[in-house]
Amino acid sequence: CSSDLDTTPPVVSGLKASAEKTPLVAFDAEDAFSPIGHAEYSLDAGPWQFVEPVGGLSDARREHYEMRLPAAALEGKPGEHLITVRVYDRHDNVGVAKTVFSIPAK
């Protein structure tokens, strides 16, 4: 049935990362038609890492995410860093957002 066809990607909004030793990253994901399937992040173009929504289960059309980046990944690396997130809906449409944040020098 053509009404089941969803080709619209989720929208990622409000992506921000705090400027501290272990940054808090937060963002929202919303899809007009399908529940959010899952989300991932990449730090400085590194490997993709799974991230859970605040509620622990991706089952709604709108989800909020908050996570602390691992201290070990940024230890001894002050300056600018890139965080990229990608969010998939249940039909594997993907929405992407990225932002630059800074780690202060000691």
Side-chain angles (χ1 to χ4, degrees), residues 23-101:
L24 177 67
V25 176
F27 62 96
D28 294 300
E30 185 169 11
D31 191 88
F33 302 106
S34 303
I36 300 299
H38 69 279
E40 301 170 314
Y41 77 91
S42 171
L43 178 62
D44 294 330
W48 290 100
Q49 304 290 322
F50 176 80
V51 58
E52 286 187 353
V54 169
L57 181 64
S58 285
D59 60 355
R61 290 187 313 133
R62 180 174 176 83
E63 296 287 356
H64 178 70
Y65 296 83
E66 286 186 11
M67 67 197 173
R68 287 262 174 216
L69 293 178
L74 296 165
E75 192 172 358
K77 299 178 184 174
E80 287 191 341
H81 295 274
L82 174 69
I83 185 85
T84 306
V85 297
R86 62 185 180 189
V87 177
Y88 293 84
D89 68 14
R90 294 281 168 91
H91 295 280
D92 284 335
N93 298 307
V94 62
V96 178
K98 62 185 174 180
T99 191
V100 173
F101 66 98

Side-chain angles (χ1 to χ4, degrees), residues 78-79 103-106:
I103 299 293
K106 291 182 180 181

